[in-house]
Amino acid sequence: MEGELLALTYGAVVARVLKDYERTDEVNAQLDKMGYNVGVRLIDDFLAKNRHGRCKNMHETAEAIQSAFKQYINVQPQVGKWNDAQNSFSLTLDTNPLTSFVELPAELGGLCYCQFICGILRGALEMIQLETKVQIVADNLRINLGQSEGIVCYRNTSFFHQKAR
């Protein structure tokens, strides 16, 4: 999908969810749920197209996730920051197509605009028996001082970060 079309379509979806729910935590939960449902279905498409066998370790899982980002949203994340146990890593994104053309007003400071990606990752990984917790650490719409921009996903912890602009 073209990045600009994805950004505009996703923006319209977020705007609609914001109208339907009053509190940002409810909106975040709905975006996560929507992403989860997409991830549950997307993993079948990814596995069918790539003929990817079962991942034997977290390194192979990271490579598969990296490949999926490139295939579906045309972004090539960098894998790094492995922990000592080799069960946690980071994927650094130079750009996030979902946040193009977006500025959040101050009253939406609690909105995790990219929570949809977290849901997709969680849904897809759960379908291949990897229990995960995925959350936004920061993004280029709401930068937290002292943290790099990014999404964090952990099984026995896998981290996804987006570089600051």
Side-chain angles (χ1 to χ4, degrees):
M1 180 180 278
E2 222 25 69
E4 291 174 353
L5 177 60
L6 175 64
L8 295 172
T9 304
Y10 182 69
V13 168
V14 173
R16 182 69 226 176
V17 175
L18 280 165
K19 286 182 181 180
D20 291 343
Y21 296 90
E22 294 179 18
R23 298 186 347 241
T24 56
D25 61 329
E26 293 173 331
V27 174
N28 294 338
Q30 285 303 313
L31 293 174
D32 186 78
K33 182 178 178 182
M34 291 166 56
Y36 179 87
N37 291 331
V38 168
V40 164
R41 288 163 183 78
L42 199 61
I43 190 68
D44 289 331
D45 182 65
F46 176 76
L47 294 173
K49 286 182 179 177
N50 294 289
R51 306 279 184 217
H52 198 284
R54 186 173 188 85
C55 294
K56 296 176 184 91
N57 56 43
M58 288 300 283
H59 284 274
E60 289 183 8
T61 301
E63 290 172 12
I65 293 170
Q66 184 182 33
S67 171
F69 267 86
K70 181 66 175 166
Q71 182 175 341
Y72 291 104
I73 61 174
N74 201 29
V75 173
Q76 184 69 44
Q78 302 302 313
V79 177
K81 297 185 182 177
W82 287 92
N83 70 353
D84 292 337
Q86 298 295 298
N87 62 4
S88 120
F89 59 91
S90 68
L91 291 177
T92 305
L93 300 170
D94 291 325
T95 60
N96 182 344
L98 295 183
T99 60
S100 300
F101 317 114
V102 177
E103 290 183 24
L104 291 179
E107 63 269 10
L108 294 178
L111 177 66
C112 294
Y113 189 81
C114 296
Q115 189 64 37
F116 186 73
I117 293 175
C118 296
I120 290 173
L121 290 170
R122 191 172 53 82
L125 292 172
E126 282 185 15
M127 290 300 103
I128 57 170
Q129 282 73 49
L130 289 174
E131 288 293 322
T132 59
K133 179 180 178 193
V134 184
Q135 68 186 60
I136 303 257
V137 174
D139 60 35
N140 59 8
L141 300 177
R142 51 180 198 126
I143 298 173
N144 299 326
L145 296 175
Q147 292 183 331
S148 61
E149 294 189 44
I151 302 169
V152 67
C153 166
Y154 22 143
R155 170 192 178 206
N156 289 323
T157 62
S158 312
F159 296 96
F160 300 86
H161 294 283
Q162 177 184 347
K163 284 184 181 173
R165 289 186 191 185

